[in-house]
Amino acid sequence: MANILIVDDSMMMRRNLRLIMEESGHNVVAEASNGKQAFFAYATHIPDLVTLDISMPGEDGISTVKRIISKFPDAKIIMITALQQKQMVYKSLKNGAKNYIVKPIQPQKVLDTIEEVLKK
Amino acid sequence: MEKHSLFKKFVMLFVLSIILFILSNCNKKSINLNKSNNTTATIDLKATNNNTIKLNGPWEFYWNKLLYPNDFNDNISHDSLVDFPFLWNNYKLKNKTFNNYGYATFRTTIKNINKNEIYTIQVKNISTAYRLFINGKLILSNGRVANNREKMIPKSYLKSADYYANDNNLELILQVSNFYHFRGGIFDPLVFGKSDVVKKLISKHLILDTFLFSSFLMIALYNLALYLFRKSDKATLYFSILCFLISLRSIMTGQYLLVQIFPTISWELQHKIEVLTIYFSFPIFLLYFKSIYSNSIGKKFLQFIVIISIMFSIIVIVTKCSTYGYFLLYYQALLAISTLYIIYCLIRIYLKNGIRSSYTVFGIVVLLITIINDVLMANSIIDTGYFTPFGLLIFIFSQGLMISAIFSKRFSKIEKQYKKQVKIIKENLTKYSNLLNNAGQGFLSFNKDLIIDNEYSKECIRIFNYEINTMKFTNLISTDKDEKIFLKSVIDDVFKASDEYNENLYLSLLPSEIDINNKTIAIKYKVIHSSINSNKKIMVILTDITDKRKLENEMEKERKILKTVVKVYSNKKIFIECLNEFKNFYRNDLNTIIKSEIEIKDLIYNIYIKIHTFKGNFSQFNLPNIVDNLHEIETKLSEIEKLMEQGAYSKSKFISFITSINYEELLDKDVNIINKHLGEDFFNDEDLIHISKQKLIDIEEKIVSYFPFDESKHIVNELRKLRYVPIKSMLESYPYYLEKLSKRLNKKIKPVKIYGDNFLINPDIYTDFIKSLIHVFRNSVDHGIEPPDVRLKMNKDESGNIKCLIKRIKNKIIISISDDGKGIDIIKLKNYLIDNNIFSSSEIQNFSKSELISCIFNKNTTTVENTTTISGRGIGLNAVKQELEKLNGHFNIYTETNLGTKFEFIIPYKQELLSEQLNITSIMKPLIKSVNKYCKNELEKQTHKFDSKKIKKAEKVDLYELSAFINISGLLHGKFILSIEKKLVKSIVNKLFNDDINKYNEKAIFEDFLGETANIILGNCLDDFDNLVNMIRISSPVTLFSKRSTIKYPFIDCWIYNISLNKGNIKLIITSSQNKFYNN
C-alpha cells in the first residue's frame, strides 16, 4: 500500500480520488490544488505516487511534472486528463510522468493504473 | 548386396595380408652375432648388385671409447660385432648390460668399391650425436660427440656427404654419444652408394616428404575452412587439427625438413614437438572418430584418453627427454590396447553401417596398420620401413572422401527438404494472405522508419483507395502537419519502449478512430516482436465501421422521429393547439402586430417573444425541423435588433423580411413526417382520434425492428395502450341509449351510471362482448323495470334504477348490471321450459334456483308473452352468452321478486402488452442502498432501512434548498432528483472540508458536493437496476439552489422517497416522462 499525493484543482475530484484510494488501502499523505503546492507537498512527504491533474489554473500539469522530476527523478506521477488532451499527455510522459488516467475516472481503472505504476 | 559382401571380403583380405606382412618382418631382434673380438668388420659391395647399400653391418663395436682413425694403428680389440640398426640399451654382452647413456665407436670397412668414383653417404637418425670418418677423414658430423653430458650437444637429422673414393676399400669410423635420448645408438642404417644414385634417392625422399607435408597441410586448411563455414560440424575441425599435426610430424621425421630449414632448433625442442604430435594426435583422432560415429566409442574411454594425453603432454613440456622418454613406452602400450578397442569399434560400425562406413573403416585400418608397423619399426622389432605417412595419406583421403560423401548426401537431403519447406511456406503464405485478404479488415505493419511493409491486406487498398506500400504511416492516417509530428514522436517512443507496459502506454495515445475518404475507420495497434531478430513492428488493424456508424445514425434519426410521432400522437390535443396557435400567428396575429402603432423596438421584441414561445412549444414534441427553423429566425431577429440599434435597418425592411417568410413551408417537413406516420387524417379532426389501426400497428412493427427489445417493449406498450380504450368509454353510450329507450317504453329510469374501475382494454377483444351487453340493458329496461304506476303502487321510486359496476380483480374483469325491477318470474320460466319441451317437469324439479334462472340465457328462452322489437324473443341473452363463452367468461344471476335482478359477468382480463411496467421498487431500492452506502462513508454511521411502502406518488414535489437534477435518457426517460436540506449539506461539507470552507467559496463547494453526490449515488446503483443499465444514459448533474421550490411535470408522476437523518432530510425523486412506473 502506497503513500499517495493527490494534485487537482477540483476539491470534489480530490475527494473522489482519495475515497477510491483509501477504500483500497492506499494512504493519501497530502493533497494539493496547484503545481506549487504539489511540489512542496512532494518535497515534504516524498510520496510513492502522485496523481496530477493535467490542466490546472496557473502552473499546468506538464510544468509541475517537470518541476517535480527535475528534483526527484524517481517520482512516480500519473496524469489525470480529459479525453482530448493526448498531446499534453504525451508531453507529460516525455517529461517523466509514468502513466495517465482519462476522465471521467473509473475507480477500478484508477486502482489498476496505480498498481501498474507502483510495480514498475 | 553381393557387391557389399565382395567389398567386405576384399577389406578382410587386405587387412590380413598387411598383418602377415608385418609379422613376417618381425624377426631381427637380438640376433646380434657374438663374433670373435679379433675379426674385423667388412661389408663387401660386390655382394650387392645394387648401386646403394644399407650399411647394416657388421660393425665393430667399441663401448665407452671414442676412437679416432689414428687410434686404430694400435691393436685395439672391439667388444663385439654388431648390425645396424643398433640400440645399446637392450644389448647384452658377456652378461654386461649397457646404459642408455654412454658413447661408443663403430668401425667397418667397405670393400670392392670403384676407385675414382664419387660416393655419397647418408646418415639419418643417430642418437644423439655422431662423427663419421672415412679413411681417416672427418666426413660428417651432427651435434658434438663427447664422453659426458655437459660437453656433448645432441642433434639429429638427416645429413649426407660426398666422398671421392681413391681406394677400393673404405674404412668407416663412427663415433656416437648419447646423454639425452632414452635410447642410445643408431636407429637407421647408414645408406651408402654412388653419389648420383644416393642423391637421387635423397631428393626423391625430399619430394615425397614435401608432397606429404603440403598435402596434409592443404587438407588441414581445407577442413578448417569447412569448419569455419559450418561451426556446428565439429568433425571437420578435429580432422583439420589432425591433419595439421600429421603435417607437422611429417616434416619432423623422414627427411627432417623442419630441422633442415631451421637448423638452430634445439634437439630437445625438436624432440618434444615430435612426441607432442603423437600425444595430441591420438585424442584428436578419437574425438574426430566420435564426432562421425557418435555411438562408436565409449564416452568414458574418450575422456580417459584425453586426460591421459594431456597429462603426458604436460610431462613432455615440463621435463627433459631423459624423463619423458620413458613414458612414451607406456603411451605406446596404451595406444596398442586402444587400437584393439578401436578395431573392435570399427567392426561394430562396419557391421552396423556396412558400406556407408567403408571409407572410414578402410582408412583407419590402413592407418592403424602403418602405425603398428612404424611403432614396431621404431622399436627395431621389424625392418619394413616407415609407412605411417602413406597410411595417413590414405586415411586422410578416405576421410576426405567420406566427408565429401556425407556433405553431398546432406546437401541433397537439405536441398530436398528446402524445396519441400519452400513449397510449404508458399502454400502457407497464400493461405494466410487469403485469410487476411478476406477478413474484411485492413492489416498492415511498419518498422521504425514508418514505411508500410509490402505485405498488407487488400482491405487497406479499399480503405485508402490506393496502394499503400512505401507510404509513411503517419501520412496515411493524418493530413495535419502538427498531428503527423505528434504521431511520429509517439510511434518513435513505442519503438524505443523497453517493455510492453511502455509500448501500450504510448500506443494508447494513437488515434483509435479516423475519418478517411468519407469512411469511418476504427484502428487497433499491436506491437509485434520478431522471433528471429529483436526488431519490432507495429501491426495496425483497420476496421471500416462506416456502415455501422451510418446505421447507428440512421437508427438514431428514425428513433427520434418515432419518438416525435409518439409524442405528437399521445399529446395530440396540445400539439394541434400549438399548431393552430402558430398558424393563427402567421395568418392573423402577425399582421395585427405589424399594423399596430408601436415602436419598432417593441415590435421586434414582441415578434421575438412569439417566435421564442413557439420554438419552446414545438421543441416539447422533439420536432426536428420547425424548431431549427424558428431558431434561425430568432437569430436573425437578434441580428436585426442590433443593426436597428445602429440605425442600419429600417422598419419597412424589417416588415418585408418578417412577412416574406413562408411559415407554412417551415412546418411542412415536420407535418409531412407526422402525415407519413399517422396518416393524413390525423390533423382533420381536432378532438377525436382519427388514425387507422393499421398505421399504429405499422409504427409498432417499426419500433420493434429499430429498437432493442428491452427498449422497444416499453414504447410498443405505450403505443398499444393508445389503441386500447378505457373500459368505461366503451360503455358510455349505454346511458344515453337507455334513457331514450325508457322514454319509448313509457318507463322512467334514473340516469344510468357506470361505476367502478376504469382501465384500458383492447377493443379488438372486448368490443363484441360489450356490444352484446345491450341485450342485458334492454332486458332490464323492458322487462325488469316496471312502469311508473306499478312502481308507485309497490312503494318504489317511480324512476327505476339501473346500475353498472365494473371491477378489476387481479386478472378478472367483473361487470355487473343490476336493476331494481320486478325480478325474474321463476314460475313463468319453469312453465315455459316445460311447455316448450326443453326440460321435463321432473327434470326441473331437480334444478336449483340459480340453475333454473341461468336458463334464460338459453336460446329461445323467454318469460315474455309478447315479443317486441326491443326484446322478448329469447335471442338477445343467448347472444350475450355466446360472446361470453368466446372470452372464456361466465355469469351469475341474482334475482328477487319485486326487488330486482343482477347480472354479473366475469371475464378474464387480457392485456396483450409486452411486459409490465417498471416496478418503482426495483429502481428505488437500489437507490436507497446506494444512499446508505454513501452515508456510511460520508456521514454519521446512520443507515436507513428501505421500506417500499414509503414510496409516494405525487404530481408535484416540494424541494429542499439544495437539489441536483440528473437527466436520465434512453429507456427510462426521466429525471433523478436529489434534494437535500441545507443544514444537512452544511454539516457534511463542514466535516469534509472544514478548514477550506468560507462564505466566498461556500456556494461553489455546495454545488461541487451536490453534483458529485448525485452522480455517485446514481452511478453506484446503475448496475443494480435489472437489465436497465445498458439502456439508460445519465447526464451530468444540474444543481439548483432555492429557498422554496416546487417541481411539477405536467401529466407526469413523481415518485418520492424521504429519508430522515439526524442532521436533516434527503428526498429522492424519480420521474418518468412516460409514466413508466407502478407500485404494488
Side-chain angles (χ1 to χ4, degrees):
Chain A
M1 294 303 101
N3 293 325
I4 295 173
L5 164 66
I6 298 174
V7 186
D8 204 304
D9 60 316
S10 158
M11 191 180 278
M12 214 52 215
M13 193 65 191
R14 294 203 299 271
R15 247 180 51 71
N16 275 351
L17 283 167
R18 194 179 68 219
L19 283 179
I20 290 167
M21 290 165 191
E22 283 177 348
E23 202 162 293
S24 69
H26 292 296
N27 179 27
V28 177
V29 286
E31 289 177 18
S33 61
N34 59 51
K36 220 173 184 179
Q37 272 183 25
F39 180 77
F40 289 117
Y42 194 96
T44 326
H45 299 280
I46 313 289
D48 302 323
L49 191 130
V50 184
T51 70
L52 178 56
D53 191 9
I54 210 159
S55 47
M56 291 184 294
E59 188 180 294
D60 69 357
I62 300 169
S63 320
T64 312
V65 170
K66 275 187 200 163
R67 203 208 280 225
I68 294 177
I69 291 289
S70 69
K71 198 74 188 282
F72 307 98
D74 296 331
K76 291 180 170 174
I77 304 175
I78 297 177
M79 306 309 290
I80 309 283
T81 158
L83 195 62
Q84 296 308 326
Q85 293 176 314
K86 285 189 171 177
Q87 304 229 13
M88 285 174 83
V89 173
Y90 180 70
K91 274 182 200 155
S92 330
L93 291 178
K94 290 314 282 180
N95 280 304
K98 293 286 184 291
N99 210 324
Y100 66 99
I101 298 166
V102 179
K103 279 192 275 194
I105 56 169
Q106 296 159 283
Q108 201 47 50
K109 172 81 185 147
V110 172
L111 293 174
D112 289 349
T113 310
I114 289 175
E115 214 57 46
E116 231 170 62
V117 170
L118 285 174
K119 242 190 256 163
K120 275 193 74 85
Chain B
M1 282 307 286
E2 220 161 88
K3 252 186 186 171
H4 288 184
S5 57
L6 206 70
F7 186 80
K8 272 184 191 175
K9 273 178 194 162
F10 171 75
V11 170
M12 294 303 263
L13 204 70
F14 182 80
V15 171
L16 213 69
S17 58
I18 297 274
I19 291 167
L20 282 172
F21 173 74
I22 292 164
L23 289 176
S24 67
N25 282 289
C26 186
N27 49 9
K28 309 231 167 140
K29 169 76 182 166
S30 75
I31 313 189
N32 288 303
L33 310 166
N34 200 357
K35 288 169 186 166
S36 157
N37 289 358
N38 296 317
T39 44
T40 45
T42 55
I43 299 164
D44 195 345
L45 216 58
K46 244 190 188 163
T48 60
N49 316 330
N50 215 325
N51 293 324
T52 61
I53 183 170
K54 281 190 177 173
L55 301 176
N56 283 339
W59 290 77
E60 294 157 20
F61 173 46
Y62 304 90
W63 179 243
N64 271 1
K65 285 181 184 130
L66 290 179
L67 298 171
Y68 290 87
N70 293 337
D71 296 334
F72 288 97
N73 296 338
D74 311 325
N75 230 349
I76 301 169
S77 59
H78 53 76
D79 292 305
S80 171
L81 287 179
V82 295
D83 283 340
F84 284 179
F86 174 81
L87 300 170
W88 56 63
N89 50 317
N90 288 328
Y91 192 67
K92 274 184 183 175
L93 189 69
K94 292 171 195 156
N95 300 325
K96 180 179 163 192
T97 52
F98 297 93
N99 197 338
N100 285 335
Y101 303 133
Y103 49 94
T105 307
F106 299 89
R107 192 176 79 116
T108 194
T109 307
I110 305 169
K111 285 189 169 165
N112 295 322
I113 60 165
N114 298 333
K115 207 178 164 183
N116 298 327
E117 193 156 350
I118 298 170
Y119 285 89
T120 300
I121 187 159
Q122 176 200 305
V123 183
K124 205 177 169 189
N125 193 2
I126 287 176
S127 176
T128 41
Y130 65 89
R131 279 192 204 110
L132 178 67
F133 301 89
I134 297 178
N135 284 352
K137 254 171 123 182
L138 180 65
I139 294 294
L140 205 58
S141 72
N142 209 354
R144 191 202 291 157
V145 179
N147 57 8
N148 57 60
R149 185 184 169 92
E150 286 70 37
K151 279 187 183 163
M152 87 160 274
I153 297 169
K155 201 94 194 176
S156 153
Y157 59 95
L158 187 133
K159 268 188 160 179
S160 62
D162 298 339
Y163 183 77
Y164 177 77
N166 45 12
D167 200 345
N168 285 343
N169 297 335
L170 294 182
E171 185 200 34
L172 273 68
I173 297 168
L174 181 67
Q175 294 180 349
V176 178
S177 72
N178 171 41
F179 291 96
Y180 286 87
H181 199 278
F182 64 99
R183 280 194 202 124
I186 293 95
F187 282 97
D188 303 299
L190 284 64
V191 175
F192 179 80
K194 283 180 183 153
S195 187
D196 50 342
V197 181
V198 174
K199 281 205 169 138
K200 238 185 229 168
L201 195 72
I202 290 172
S203 54
K204 213 166 87 187
H205 280 292
L206 202 65
I207 289 165
L208 190 67
D209 275 10
T210 318
F211 166 71
L212 287 173
F213 167 69
S214 36
S215 302
F216 293 139
L217 197 62
M218 285 316 292
I219 294 170
L221 292 174
Y222 172 68
N223 279 286
L224 185 68
L226 280 184
Y227 169 72
L228 291 176
F229 283 127
R230 234 177 90 80
K231 287 195 174 137
S232 62
D233 192 358
K234 289 275 190 297
T236 48
L237 175 67
Y238 296 138
F239 194 63
S240 162
I241 297 171
L242 192 61
C243 291
F244 181 73
L245 289 170
I246 291 166
S247 75
L248 190 62
R249 195 171 163 76
S250 76
I251 53 166
M252 309 217 45
T253 57
Q255 301 291 309
Y256 293 90
L257 280 172
L258 188 70
V259 194
Q260 292 200 21
I261 297 163
F262 307 105
T264 48
I265 291 178
S266 76
W267 179 88
E268 198 73 59
L269 179 63
Q270 176 200 351
H271 200 262
K272 272 186 180 180
I273 294 171
E274 194 189 321
V275 175
L276 282 176
T277 55
I278 298 171
Y279 289 166
F280 285 173
S281 301
F282 187 53
I284 293 287
F285 166 74
L286 288 179
L287 284 168
Y288 163 71
F289 193 55
K290 190 160 174 73
S291 67
I292 290 181
Y293 300 106
S294 52
N295 294 322
S296 55
I297 48 173
K299 202 177 167 190
K300 284 200 171 148
F301 169 72
L302 181 64
Q303 279 171 353
F304 172 73
I305 294 294
V306 168
I307 291 165
I308 288 285
S309 301
I310 290 169
M311 278 162 56
F312 273 70
S313 304
I314 292 168
I315 292 169
V316 169
I317 291 162
V318 300
T319 65
K320 297 209 156 157
C321 179
S322 47
T323 314
Y324 68 73
Y326 290 106
F327 291 96
L328 193 60
L329 275 173
Y330 297 107
Y331 197 78
Q332 281 169 346
L334 182 72
L335 215 61
I337 296 162
S338 307
T339 307
L340 288 175
Y341 176 69
I342 290 164
I343 289 168
Y344 161 73
C345 293
L346 276 175
I347 292 166
R348 256 191 2 188
I349 289 165
Y350 184 65
L351 291 177
K352 199 176 151 195
N353 295 339
I355 188 78
R356 277 193 289 144
S357 58
S358 55
Y359 295 121
T360 319
V361 173
F362 175 74
I364 291 175
V365 166
V366 171
L367 178 66
L368 284 174
I369 289 163
T370 54
I371 288 170
I372 293 165
N373 172 68
D374 283 17
V375 169
L376 295 173
M377 178 76 189
N379 288 291
S380 310
I381 298 166
I382 53 167
D383 186 19
T384 48
Y386 290 105
F387 289 106
T388 316
F390 301 102
L392 279 171
L393 201 61
I394 290 167
F395 165 72
I396 279 162
F397 276 130
S398 72
Q399 293 313 293
L401 217 60
M402 188 209 56
I403 287 178
S404 310
I406 288 175
F407 271 31
S408 65
K409 205 169 164 186
R410 269 192 207 156
F411 181 72
S412 45
K413 196 174 161 190
I414 287 167
E415 203 177 33
K416 219 168 156 186
Q417 262 176 359
Y418 171 75
K419 277 182 186 161
K420 205 171 144 191
Q421 289 297 329
V422 166
K423 205 180 151 197
I424 291 170
I425 288 169
K426 268 188 186 164
E427 274 170 14
N428 284 344
L429 223 61
T430 334
K431 240 190 271 173
Y432 293 137
S433 62
N434 278 340
L435 216 65
L436 290 183
N437 282 336
N438 295 311
Q441 279 179 316
F443 294 95
L444 61 91
S445 59
F446 56 87
N447 281 325
K448 230 182 223 167
D449 57 9
L450 307 183
I451 305 283
I452 310 281
D453 290 335
N454 284 328
E455 299 81 15
Y456 53 86
S457 73
K458 274 185 189 153
E459 177 75 1
C460 296
I461 304 174
R462 200 190 67 77
I463 289 172
F464 295 106
N465 284 341
Y466 47 79
E467 300 276 346
I468 55 167
N469 47 343
T470 71
M471 287 272 300
K472 268 196 174 184
F473 179 69
T474 42
N475 295 341
L476 206 58
I477 61 162
S478 174
T479 48
D480 181 68
K481 203 181 155 199
D482 287 342
E483 199 190 2
K484 276 184 202 170
I485 294 169
F486 168 67
L487 291 175
K488 187 181 168 355
S489 39
V490 170
I491 293 169
D492 281 348
D493 280 298
V494 174
F495 279 110
K496 269 184 242 157
S498 54
D499 53 16
E500 211 179 316
Y501 169 87
N502 279 317
E503 282 167 6
N504 291 335
L505 186 61
Y506 284 110
L507 279 184
S508 70
L509 293 173
L510 295 175
S512 58
E513 205 178 300
I514 55 165
D515 286 315
I516 198 156
N517 302 328
N518 296 324
K519 295 184 194 99
T520 311
I521 308 294
I523 314 183
K524 272 184 185 165
Y525 305 88
K526 213 166 162 60
V527 175
I528 301 176
H529 296 270
S530 166
S531 55
I532 300 158
N533 47 37
S534 56
N535 286 349
K536 271 187 205 174
K537 261 183 201 302
I538 293 181
M539 180 166 91
V540 181
I541 305 164
L542 307 159
T543 314
D544 188 346
I545 53 167
T546 318
D547 291 344
K548 197 179 150 200
R549 278 287 133 82
K550 232 187 220 164
L551 202 69
E552 274 173 12
N553 288 340
E554 264 170 30
M555 272 178 74
E556 192 55 42
K557 226 163 126 189
E558 191 69 21
R559 204 185 284 213
K560 271 185 186 159
I561 288 173
L562 285 170
K563 275 188 177 162
T564 306
V565 170
V566 171
K567 219 158 195 173
V568 166
Y569 185 64
S570 45
N571 297 290
K572 179 179 175 182
K573 209 171 159 186
I574 301 168
F575 177 68
I576 290 182
E577 258 173 46
C578 281
L579 208 61
N580 288 342
E581 250 175 69
F582 183 60
K583 281 178 184 167
N584 195 36
F585 162 74
Y586 65 77
R587 282 178 192 156
N588 309 316
D589 293 0
L590 187 62
N591 281 331
T592 324
I593 296 171
I594 290 168
K595 278 172 192 154
S596 63
E597 297 278 317
I598 54 169
E599 260 192 48
I600 176 73
K601 224 176 166 185
D602 294 334
L603 177 66
I604 295 174
Y605 183 72
N606 275 348
I607 293 173
Y608 187 93
I609 288 283
K610 284 270 178 192
I611 299 275
H612 187 75
T613 311
F614 288 126
K615 189 179 98 175
N617 286 346
F618 285 123
S619 67
Q620 275 180 34
F621 300 99
N622 301 337
L623 288 175
N625 299 300
I626 179 75
V627 176
D628 287 349
N629 293 338
L630 289 175
H631 184 76
E632 257 172 53
I633 297 173
E634 220 179 86
T635 318
K636 195 92 194 223
L637 283 177
S638 57
E639 274 169 24
I640 290 172
E641 201 177 4
K642 266 182 203 158
L643 289 172
M644 202 69 94
E645 269 169 21
Q646 296 160 6
Y649 215 84
S650 66
K651 188 177 176 178
S652 57
K653 209 171 171 188
F654 168 71
I655 288 169
S656 72
F657 161 73
I658 204 79
T659 47
S660 69
I661 298 169
N662 189 341
Y663 295 93
E664 201 95 34
E665 216 175 78
L666 298 183
L667 272 172
D668 267 2
K669 264 192 182 170
D670 290 338
V671 169
N672 284 342
I673 288 170
I674 292 160
N675 277 343
K676 198 179 135 204
H677 286 90
L678 297 174
E680 303 256 343
D681 294 342
F682 179 75
F683 294 103
N684 292 347
D685 194 310
E686 288 183 6
D687 285 330
L688 278 180
I689 292 170
H690 259 279
I691 186 161
S692 77
K693 216 188 302 173
Q694 196 50 45
K695 277 273 175 205
L696 273 180
I697 290 166
D698 286 349
I699 294 173
E700 259 179 51
E701 281 170 356
K702 231 175 186 172
I703 287 172
V704 167
S705 59
Y706 275 113
F707 288 74
F709 174 75
D710 284 312
E711 206 169 327
S712 73
K713 69 181 181 192
H714 295 272
I715 300 175
V716 169
N717 283 345
E718 289 301 310
L719 270 177
R720 289 201 176 160
K721 280 182 201 156
L722 295 176
R723 281 199 282 128
Y724 292 3
V725 290
I727 189 162
K728 277 182 182 172
S729 75
M730 292 186 74
L731 289 159
E732 69 193 355
S733 57
Y734 286 127
Y736 176 71
Y737 171 78
L738 292 177
E739 201 189 315
K740 287 202 162 174
L741 179 70
S742 62
K743 272 182 188 155
R744 264 209 285 161
L745 295 170
N746 293 321
K747 293 191 177 170
K748 274 193 175 172
I749 54 166
K750 287 175 186 164
V752 176
K753 272 195 177 165
I754 295 163
Y755 299 96
D757 301 334
N758 197 7
F759 47 91
L760 294 172
I761 55 168
N762 186 349
D764 294 350
I765 299 172
Y766 296 102
T767 305
D768 290 345
F769 171 70
I770 287 174
K771 273 185 185 163
S772 77
L773 286 179
I774 184 102
H775 300 294
V776 181
F777 282 113
R778 242 178 356 206
N779 273 349
S780 293
V781 178
D782 202 359
H783 310 302
I785 303 295
E786 307 92 337
D789 51 332
V790 179
R791 289 184 67 89
L792 282 173
K793 271 186 201 162
M794 296 178 74
N795 284 332
K796 286 187 185 173
D797 193 319
E798 69 175 334
S799 298
N801 204 356
I802 296 174
K803 277 195 280 188
C804 178
L805 181 69
I806 298 165
K807 268 189 194 164
R808 203 182 91 197
I809 297 169
K810 284 181 183 169
N811 49 0
K812 292 235 157 41
I813 304 172
I814 301 163
I815 303 174
S816 47
I817 298 165
S818 56
D819 64 63
D820 59 348
K822 60 184 176 198
I824 296 168
D825 191 338
I826 296 172
I827 297 163
K828 259 188 189 167
L829 181 66
K830 242 188 212 168
N831 291 340
Y832 179 86
L833 291 172
I834 296 166
D835 292 349
N836 287 285
N837 293 325
I838 294 165
F839 293 109
S840 67
S841 55
S842 56
E843 274 173 319
I844 292 210
Q845 294 301 317
N846 297 327
F847 278 18
S848 70
K849 188 183 170 186
S850 62
E851 273 174 328
L852 198 63
I853 293 168
S854 55
C855 287
I856 66 161
F857 276 98
N858 289 347
K859 213 177 171 184
N860 298 324
T861 303
T862 182
T863 56
V864 183
E865 290 93 354
N866 304 312
T867 57
T868 63
T869 50
I870 296 136
S871 67
R873 293 180 197 275
I875 291 168
L877 285 182
N878 184 246
V880 176
K881 195 183 171 190
Q882 278 175 17
E883 290 301 330
L884 199 59
E885 278 165 359
K886 276 187 202 162
L887 296 174
N888 285 328
H890 61 278
F891 62 87
N892 294 316
I893 304 168
Y894 308 95
T895 186
E896 285 297 328
T897 312
N898 293 330
L899 284 178
T901 309
K902 184 170 140 188
F903 293 90
E904 201 174 71
F905 301 98
I906 299 118
I907 47 176
Y909 177 50
K910 287 179 190 160
Q911 255 210 316
E912 276 206 331
L913 290 182
L914 291 176
S915 79
E916 288 289 310
Q917 284 177 301
L918 283 169
N919 190 336
I920 185 68
T921 315
S922 69
I923 301 295
M924 207 55 105
K925 200 175 173 183
L927 271 174
I928 305 303
K929 201 175 131 196
S930 183
V931 170
N932 271 337
K933 196 184 162 198
Y934 184 76
C935 290
K936 219 165 156 189
N937 287 336
E938 307 297 328
L939 313 174
E940 57 233 84
K941 300 257 174 282
Q942 191 186 355
T943 53
H944 175 86
K945 201 168 174 259
F946 176 72
D947 181 2
S948 65
K949 280 176 202 148
K950 285 177 82 173
I951 302 173
K952 295 271 155 36
K953 188 167 95 172
E955 283 191 351
K956 60 178 191 176
V957 189
D958 295 324
L959 297 175
Y960 294 121
E961 295 94 321
L962 294 167
S963 304
F965 291 69
I966 293 182
N967 276 323
I968 307 172
S969 53
L971 177 58
L972 246 189
H973 226 278
K975 278 190 170 57
F976 166 67
I977 303 158
L978 175 74
S979 190
I980 312 182
E981 267 186 290
K982 192 176 179 182
K983 56 181 183 183
L984 180 59
V985 173
K986 217 166 189 169
S987 79
I988 298 168
V989 170
N990 274 335
K991 205 174 140 200
L992 296 174
F993 317 112
N994 48 351
D995 297 333
D996 301 326
I997 200 158
N998 53 51
K999 63 178 178 181
Y1000 303 109
N1001 67 5
E1002 185 190 67
K1003 208 175 164 191
I1005 289 177
F1006 282 5
E1007 265 172 28
D1008 205 12
F1009 165 79
L1010 205 63
E1012 277 301 323
T1013 306
N1015 251 344
I1016 292 168
I1017 288 176
L1018 188 59
N1020 279 345
C1021 64
L1022 280 182
D1023 284 335
D1024 292 337
F1025 296 163
D1026 350 296
N1027 301 327
L1028 280 179
V1029 66
N1030 295 322
M1031 280 173 273
I1032 57 176
R1033 286 173 291 282
I1034 59 173
S1035 70
S1036 25
V1038 175
T1039 45
L1040 174 75
F1041 283 69
S1042 99
K1043 273 253 160 69
R1044 200 172 277 171
S1045 55
T1046 304
I1047 50 159
K1048 182 185 168 164
Y1049 295 102
F1051 315 114
I1052 291 171
D1053 293 331
C1054 297
W1055 298 84
I1056 309 147
Y1057 195 98
N1058 272 308
I1059 301 173
S1060 304
L1061 299 169
N1062 293 342
K1063 298 229 169 96
N1065 295 328
I1066 299 173
K1067 211 175 253 187
L1068 298 172
I1069 301 144
I1070 286 274
T1071 70
S1072 162
S1073 63
Q1074 284 136 3
N1075 285 335
K1076 280 242 166 72
F1077 297 117
Y1078 71 92
N1079 193 11
N1080 49 6

